[in-house]
Amino acid sequence: MNKYVFTKALLMLLCVCMLLSVSCAESSGVSQSQSALPTQHRATISREPEVSVYEAAKRDLSTWPERLWTDSKTTFTRHDNITALLLAGGASVLMHQETDEKIADYFAEHRVFHDWKDETLNVIGSPTTQLAATSVWYFFSARNNDTLNRERAWTMRTALTISWLTTWGLKLARDNETPNDNDWSWPSGHAASSFTAASVLDEFYGHKVGVPAYAIASLVSWRMMDTGDHWGSDIVFGATLGWVVGHTVASQNRDLTIAGFEVVPFTPVSERPAMGIGLMKRF
């Protein structure tokens, strides 16, 4: 048990470091592009008033129920999303009737992941780990008064929450057994959560981050079948659900705007180092 807790804590720290490094690189890139502008074209924008982590969290939590509802409604009323989920649901039904047993038998005879590899992917793909890592990302962004990454972390939390609530609603409604005789098989929570996180990262940072994130989500999904924790049909629907939720929620909140202006990181040119935000509008 102690070994498991230590492994989970270590992997959670790794996830946080990866998220923070990506967000810092993104902010740095935007800041450098603005500071490279000729002096006469640089906007003189005052820094956003600093707020404490508590005040930022209180403000975001106050609007979170409405945001969860709005993003959920948008996700599950879009025609392309409904089509994708219906197709994945139909595929799940057919797979469970015809091919799930064959897939499970194949993995039982050709198991790939053992010991630390098994546990590592299990921890990385856990919704609990991903939500915890996102919370730490949010905390450091709020503490540094980094509005852009605080908003992105909150968007990730929103997407993961919608995915988690939907997954468990479907699990309780379906309530079928996994290949290794555990309850609540369909759909796979690990697959749904991992593909949600990958889709959000893809929307925010592009394919250079999105493709590796999808690769990790795919390994997590493979592991869930490899260990007998899920049927192939569980993975198909879970991955589709995560992709739909992640892309929709992130695209809805990809660009933080105030009064029609896009909010971007801003580093003014001055003798004393400072950081803040900029308001940008394209015409």
Side-chain angles (χ1 to χ4, degrees):
M1 181 66 180
N2 290 335
K3 183 179 179 181
Y4 171 79
V5 173
F6 174 77
T7 303
K8 188 167 186 176
L10 185 62
L11 290 171
M12 191 181 300
L13 179 61
L14 177 62
C15 292
V16 172
C17 291
M18 290 176 63
L19 285 172
L20 290 177
S21 64
V22 169
S23 63
C24 289
E26 181 77 2
S27 295
S28 176
V30 177
S31 298
Q32 289 174 7
S33 64
Q34 290 214 3
S35 62
L37 291 173
T39 304
Q40 63 268 29
H41 293 299
R42 290 177 189 151
T44 304
I45 302 172
S46 60
R47 186 179 181 182
E48 183 188 53
E50 293 190 6
V51 296
S52 67
V53 175
Y54 171 77
E55 290 171 334
K58 182 179 179 181
R59 182 167 52 189
D60 288 333
L61 281 170
S62 67
T63 60
W64 202 34
E66 181 181 357
R67 181 168 176 175
L68 278 173
W69 169 252
T70 301
D71 286 348
S72 298
K73 184 178 178 180
T74 301
T75 299
F76 297 115
T77 56
R78 279 179 44 173
H79 295 304
D80 53 342
N81 288 349
I82 293 173
T83 300
L85 292 173
L86 286 175
L87 288 173
S92 293
V93 172
L94 293 176
M95 289 178 66
H96 199 62
Q97 292 176 348
E98 300 179 4
T99 60
D100 269 350
E101 290 285 355
K102 295 179 181 178
I103 294 173
D105 290 341
Y106 173 84
F107 279 107
E109 296 175 3
H110 303 87
R111 187 170 180 184
V112 176
F113 298 109
H114 302 274
D115 302 325
W116 69 270
K117 294 181 291 184
D118 177 5
E119 189 57 42
T120 297
L121 289 172
N122 184 37
V123 173
I124 289 176
S126 170
T128 302
T129 301
Q130 294 163 5
L131 281 168
T134 302
S135 298
V136 177
W137 180 19
Y138 178 89
F139 171 81
F140 279 106
S141 299
R143 192 185 68 171
N144 295 330
N145 205 36
D146 185 347
T147 306
L148 177 66
N149 282 297
R150 192 192 86 206
E151 173 64 21
R152 286 183 170 181
W154 199 257
T155 298
M156 177 72 84
R157 168 173 281 274
T158 301
L160 288 172
T161 301
I162 293 173
S163 176
W164 183 84
L165 290 173
T166 306
T167 297
W168 272 99
L170 293 171
K171 281 180 178 290
L172 293 172
R174 178 72 174 88
D175 191 22
N176 63 318
E177 292 186 347
T178 65
N180 54 16
D181 298 326
N182 289 324
D183 296 326
W184 302 321
S185 179
W186 184 87
S188 168
H190 276 61
S193 186
S194 296
F195 274 92
T196 298
S199 298
V200 172
L201 293 174
D202 187 37
E203 284 283 342
F204 284 157
Y205 301 108
H207 296 327
K208 289 184 178 180
V209 175
V211 171
Y214 284 128
I216 294 173
S218 298
L219 283 174
V220 169
S221 299
W222 183 281
R223 179 264 170 199
M224 301 309 291
M225 293 184 290
D226 187 62
T227 57
D229 288 330
H230 279 290
W231 303 103
S233 57
D234 303 340
I235 299 300
V236 168
F237 191 86
T240 304
L241 174 64
W243 188 88
V244 164
V245 172
H247 276 292
T248 305
V249 173
S251 64
Q252 287 290 108
N253 302 277
R254 181 168 49 200
D255 299 321
L256 179 62
T257 58
I258 298 177
F261 288 84
E262 182 181 351
V263 179
V264 298
F266 179 71
T267 303
V269 178
S270 61
E271 295 181 358
R272 300 180 62 184
M275 292 186 65
I277 62 168
L279 300 180
M280 181 176 67
K281 192 174 183 67
R282 296 181 177 86
F283 296 93

